[in-house]
Amino acid sequence: MTSAAAKPTPEVTDELRPFFAAAREGRLVVQQCRGCGRRRFPPREICSHCLGRQADWVASSGRGTIFSFNVMHQVYHPGFAAEVPYAVVLVELEDGGRMIANLVDCPLERLRIGLPVEVVFEARGPEVSLPQFRPAAA
Amino acid sequence: MTHPLRGQYAIAGLGLTPMGRAYDSAMGFAVEAVRLALADAGLERRNLDGLMLNPGLAWADAAMGSFALQQALGLTNLGYSLTMNIGGATAAAMVQNAALAIEAGLCTTVACVFSDAPLKPPKPDDDGKKQGGSAAAYGFARGLSAAYGQFGVNALYALVARRHMHRYGTTGDHLGAVAVAERAWANRNPAAQFHDAPLTLADYHRSRWIVEPFHLLDCCLVSNGGAAVIVTSAERARALRQPPVYVWGFGQGHPGGDPLDTLTSGAPLAKRTAFAMADIEVADVDVAEIYDCYTFTVLVTLEDYGFCAKGEGGAFVADAGIGPGGRLPVNTGGGQLSSFYMWGMTPVSEGVIQARGQGAARQAPKHDVVLVSGNGGILSTHSTLVLSPLPS
Ligand SMILES: [Zn+2]
């Protein structure tokens, strides 16, 4: 039997470097526009509200709710062959920004829009920690 | 006061190549579609002085696509050339641009073309099973979405559909009603890829999941092929071979913003312009050819044109009926779900066939006002045509 293929490790681009650096330390950060203060994720070069170019990476509490989700049944990458069906969730962070992730420590039957979740970090390769979400502790 | 462009332009020719598992290059399909459209209209290549191309994914040099197509067709002395891409909204928008270019005096007769060839011919040694790719084959999987296992447009539309279900109570039966209705139309269309395959709601629910809430049968086909229409002035169209399909009104709507928040397409914006130009209301529409990358797209677009209240698209498609014998005939050729996937040319071409009254077994009995919609991105771009066999 061959060993299971690894899930893809995201490329640490210049744009995402601060995000991954924080995640390595177990912190979730999102971008905040210096011009208008709006928070956003994923990062963007230009704020679509104020057209500002300057942004800072700021800490998020890592708490939020499921805004939407899908359940993937197709294998597009061998790293997910043992996972299907698996959920991709869109989390609305309580302090601003939305990000996709996978839901961990939660059966699919419990998954619903509005479910409170909190961030956890998954090691993905030697260099990268990936923010994931699990149902929030009651 | 009547809009000055209402009914002044017409679609005078339609060319559709074989669709689906037919094999040619993207260029080959485009050239053949133009040849067929010219023959349909009773025109020669030398009569064309405008050329517009929406290049599909298989176009090698998409950026200069209309020029490359011009060279392939041997066209000289074009007064108008444009390569255009706003996704599935492009086809209906090309017809609009063609009318505006003629109105401005740049040209008189424009071919609007789409083609694609994403399906490769089966190889003799192909046993039909996919081989496991090398790591290099997955070089695309470098971003955050891939790290989370989110791949493709299906997954993004699924997020929007799930929100719609949450907010408005839309169900899998509602989505399935669209798939079943379009298949019933396809069963009456000999050119449809699923012509010979009936479909029940139970069959729909049994089809495998792609990405919940979408089954396989919620998602459009993948097709090779080419489609072209010839746009010219109403006056010139009357002298040609086919009954003219008059363009009563047109419009576009590109709402921006996040469709996950709005759950709304560009149809409300595009409709405002198009229906005002055409001088119609939604109740006047006899046939609707609605862009259907997914079952969900049809349901939400019908809401957005006002065929029912916002959020009631599910009940509308399930109760009022959009199949043969239903209250509103929708996607009468089988649409992109059951006939063929030529981006926005699928609804445009079927709109032309219905307006002409050439739908044979699938012809809607009343077809004075035919609505055509295009949609691109994730409910991001939208175009509308109001077509009619009547000059006014
Ligand atoms: Zn800003």
Side-chain angles (χ1 to χ4, degrees), chain A residues 2-6 75-79 81, chain B residues 129-140:
Chain A
T2 55
S3 63
V75 178
Y76 296 92
H77 185 285
Chain B
K129 289 182 195 139
K130 277 213 175 122
Q131 305 297 314
S134 65
Y138 295 96
F140 67 89

Side-chain angles (χ1 to χ4, degrees), chain B residues 153-244:
Chain B
V153 178
N154 296 345
L156 301 177
Y157 260 98
L159 293 175
V160 182
R162 178 68 71 188
R163 280 295 299 178
H164 197 278
M165 296 169 108
H166 172 74
R167 181 152 163 199
Y168 296 120
T170 306
T171 67
D173 279 356
H174 292 153
L175 299 180
V178 176
V180 170
E182 294 203 18
R183 184 61 62 84
W185 286 117
N187 295 151
R188 298 170 174 221
N189 175 10
Q193 288 180 231
F194 278 123
H195 173 249
D196 297 324
L199 182 75
T200 66
L201 190 58
D203 297 332
Y204 160 81
H205 282 295
R206 273 194 298 270
S207 80
R208 64 188 167 89
W209 290 113
I210 298 297
V211 47
E212 291 178 57
F214 293 152
H215 291 273
L216 175 68
L217 297 180
D218 287 299
C219 307
C220 64
L221 294 158
V222 178
S223 306
N224 286 358
V229 292
I230 308 291
V231 178
T232 190
S233 68
E235 185 184 0
R236 186 169 164 78
R238 280 191 279 273
L240 296 176
R241 179 176 293 161
Q242 288 285 357

Side-chain angles (χ1 to χ4, degrees), chain B residues 212-300:
Chain B
E212 291 178 57
F214 293 152
H215 291 273
L216 175 68
L217 297 180
D218 287 299
C219 307
C220 64
L221 294 158
V222 178
S223 306
N224 286 358
V229 292
I230 308 291
V231 178
T232 190
S233 68
E235 185 184 0
R236 186 169 164 78
R238 280 191 279 273
L240 296 176
R241 179 176 293 161
Q242 288 285 357
V245 174
Y246 296 97
V247 181
W248 277 11
F250 53 78
Q252 297 181 29
H254 314 296
D258 190 340
L260 281 159
D261 290 319
T262 63
L263 303 178
T264 299
S265 68
L269 272 173
K271 171 198 169 183
R272 203 163 53 194
T273 314
F275 282 27
M277 187 189 297
D279 193 21
I280 64 158
E281 294 171 15
V282 70
D284 297 322
V285 173
D286 297 315
V287 184
E289 306 297 345
I290 302 293
Y291 192 86
D292 55 340
C293 43
Y294 301 93
T295 53
F296 168 70
T297 317
V298 175
L299 182 156
V300 77

Side-chain angles (χ1 to χ4, degrees), chain B residues 23-116:
Chain B
Y23 300 105
D24 198 347
S25 63
M27 180 64 82
F29 280 124
V31 167
E32 181 63 5
V34 172
R35 193 186 67 78
L36 291 168
L38 288 169
D40 183 58
L43 289 168
E44 305 288 336
R45 274 186 287 167
R46 60 182 161 74
N47 300 124
L48 275 185
D49 56 5
L51 184 63
M52 300 192 60
L53 175 71
N54 177 200
L57 299 174
W59 275 78
D61 185 11
M64 286 289 278
S66 67
F67 173 69
L69 179 57
Q70 177 190 355
Q71 296 295 88
L73 283 163
L75 301 177
T76 52
N77 300 315
L78 289 187
Y80 188 66
S81 173
L82 184 64
T83 305
M84 183 170 178
N85 200 347
I86 48 172
T90 312
M94 285 197 293
V95 173
Q96 305 177 13
N97 278 49
L100 295 174
I102 300 167
E103 174 73 18
L106 301 180
C107 51
T108 66
T109 309
V110 184
C112 305
V113 190
F114 173 85
S115 75
D116 208 355

